[in-house]
Amino acid sequence: MVATAPSSLSDASNRDIQRGFMTLSRYILQEFGDYSAEAQDFSALMSRISLAGKMIAHHLSKAGLVENALGVTGTVNVQGEEVKMMDEYANTVFIRAIEQSGLVCRLVSEEMDEPAHLPDNCSLGRYAILFDPIDGSSNIDADLSIGSIFSIIRAEGIDEGNYEDLLQPGHKQLAAGYILYGPSTQLVYSMGKGVHAFILDPSLGEFVLWKDNIQTPSRGTTYSLNEGYYCQWAGAVQEFVRYVHRTEGYTARYSGALVADVHRILMYGGVYLYPGTLEQPDGKLRLLYEASPLAFLLEQGGGRAATTAGDRILDIHPTALHQRVPLVIGSADNVAEVENILRQHATTGPSC
Ligand code: P6P
């Protein structure tokens, strides 16, 4: 029986104090249930990732008031996309924050052609991190929600400048998550033992537990895809869109930031799609640091994630660092409904 000092604090104050103490690092150690080397590793890695999130959130909160926050750098990344100031800033923040953990030898980023190599960490480096430093960067200058996505894998190869060992199927991820920079800043992650969400308390400078063991509803009303591409989609995808248009009970939501759209679906249920188009047959989203980590989370939350051909995202064996994949992700019943329509109309030609 723990002796407690007599308290005149209200129940609400006591709850606030208790909530404030369930920090991210403490929760992770609690999840492991021990202070093993692996538990300490993950607590340290997640602590560095959360530090990167705090720094990025702080910078975003002053965007428009400071340099190198809004606008573009004038360069184009490996994806062929215009690099925003925040893309470059966030990429650097993640690398520096994770480098200081001493545990990571290589980092794969949407913003870098090749993995970043941290030689001082390679003797000990047991992990590699694959990340999208800023997802949805077209939203930044409009002050809309954006995110960062990360995936932690075991570094299996002897690092000799190649990275074949980083091309692992998503079911081998050790942990995955995202940071959502919205009205509040949230960090949502899973280490394969459920999905847990933390909210950054600016007054404490800590991510404190908000919800743990989150389960996405088995079905939701939201469908999320960019209908501006309707005439570039396969006939089966067009048939899905026609189906939700003529069927009661569906609501369209699409923010232009994958993390925000998938977070909505994790919380309320529904389905997000980014299908292939005539110009990009494999779609726009990258497997290793967008589809795979989000698929890991949604499956942990009782949802599903597949390609538009019906292949489970987490079973795909990557062949390239920046490989793209046409994604269907969300509530189990909604994803199954999409897959059924795509299968039934596989031979339906496009109509525009
Ligand atoms: P579109 C952002 O660039 C991103 O990768 C996702 O965050 C987002 O869902 C998608 O692309 C938006 O792409 O083609 O609809 O503008």
Side-chain angles (χ1 to χ4, degrees):
M1 177 72 178
V2 176
T4 52
S7 164
S8 56
L9 288 175
S10 69
D11 289 350
S13 298
N14 278 312
R15 274 198 304 276
D16 279 353
I17 291 170
Q18 186 56 29
R19 177 182 62 80
F21 288 159
M22 187 47 81
T23 59
L24 177 63
S25 45
R26 181 174 159 225
Y27 190 87
I28 288 168
L29 290 173
Q30 186 175 288
E31 264 200 300
F32 272 93
D34 60 32
Y35 289 86
S36 63
E38 192 179 22
Q40 301 288 354
D41 282 355
F42 270 91
S43 185
L45 283 174
M46 290 299 290
S47 172
R48 305 310 293 180
I49 289 170
S50 73
L51 173 63
K54 293 174 198 174
M55 292 179 72
I56 293 165
H58 181 65
H59 201 61
L60 282 170
S61 70
K62 301 179 295 177
L65 302 174
V66 296
E67 298 300 313
N68 68 14
L70 299 182
V72 296
T73 61
T75 60
V76 174
N77 65 17
V78 64
Q79 322 291 342
E81 296 165 349
E82 208 173 29
V83 177
K84 301 289 194 314
M85 285 292 196
M86 271 309 297
D87 290 324
E88 193 166 78
Y89 174 87
N91 194 60
T92 303
V93 164
F94 266 96
I95 293 172
R96 293 290 162 263
I98 292 165
E99 181 177 40
Q100 292 159 5
S101 72
L103 295 166
V104 174
C105 170
R106 284 165 294 167
L107 288 157
V108 173
S109 164
E110 181 192 64
E111 296 305 328
M112 301 183 296
D113 303 12
E114 304 281 320
H117 194 240
L118 307 172
D120 293 349
N121 292 358
C122 293
S123 57
L124 187 63
R126 293 187 280 275
Y127 307 96
I129 293 185
L130 306 89
F131 67 104
D132 182 358
I134 294 290
D135 162 73
S137 48
S138 60
N139 281 359
I140 297 170
D141 290 24
D143 198 27
L144 297 172
S145 296
I146 58 174
S148 302
I149 309 171
F150 61 89
S151 168
I152 302 176
I153 62 173
R154 190 169 302 288
E156 292 172 342
I158 299 168
D159 180 64
E160 292 164 340
N162 64 19
Y163 47 78
E164 297 308 311
D165 64 311
L166 302 183
L167 301 178
Q168 299 176 17
H171 63 74
K172 293 184 75 174
Q173 289 174 96
L174 299 173
Y178 56 79
I179 299 162
L180 174 60
Y181 310 101
S184 70
T185 297
Q186 288 204 26
L187 188 150
V188 179
Y189 84 93
S190 176
M191 295 191 299
K193 301 172 188 166
V195 179
H196 317 301
F198 293 75
I199 291 186
L200 179 60
D201 182 334
S203 63
L204 296 174
E206 285 281 3
F207 279 100
V208 295
L209 182 64
W210 175 52
K211 285 182 189 291
D212 61 355
N213 300 307
I214 297 170
Q215 287 290 298
T216 188
S218 59
R219 169 175 281 278
T221 59
T222 296
Y223 72 97
S224 184
L225 77 170
N226 183 343
E227 296 193 41
Y229 294 120
Y230 183 85
C231 287
Q232 287 205 43
W233 287 331
V237 176
Q238 293 176 339
E239 178 51 38
F240 166 70
V241 174
R242 288 192 290 268
Y243 169 78
V244 293
H245 284 175
R246 65 173 181 264
T247 307
E248 281 297 310
Y250 290 90
T251 304
R253 290 286 184 273
Y254 191 78
S255 76
L258 174 66
V259 169
D261 289 328
V262 171
H263 183 72
R264 178 193 291 114
I265 283 165
L266 175 70
M267 302 313 292
Y268 301 152
V271 63
Y272 171 99
L273 297 85
Y274 202 106
T277 63
L278 296 174
E279 284 176 27
Q280 290 185 310
D282 288 328
K284 176 181 182 182
L285 303 179
R286 278 60 54 152
L287 174 61
L288 282 179
Y289 41 79
E290 289 178 319
S292 225
L294 295 178
F296 185 83
L297 282 179
L298 262 290
E299 286 203 4
Q300 281 290 313
R304 280 183 64 192
T307 68
T308 46
D311 304 316
R312 181 183 180 229
I313 292 291
L314 296 184
D315 288 340
I316 297 173
H317 283 256
T319 53
L321 279 183
H322 303 291
Q323 163 177 352
R324 298 175 193 268
V325 67
L327 177 65
V328 183
I329 187 169
S331 299
D333 292 356
N334 291 87
V335 172
E337 182 177 65
V338 173
E339 299 293 353
N340 288 338
I341 292 172
L342 296 183
R343 203 172 22 255
Q344 287 162 15
H345 296 273
T347 58
T348 304
S351 58
C352 253

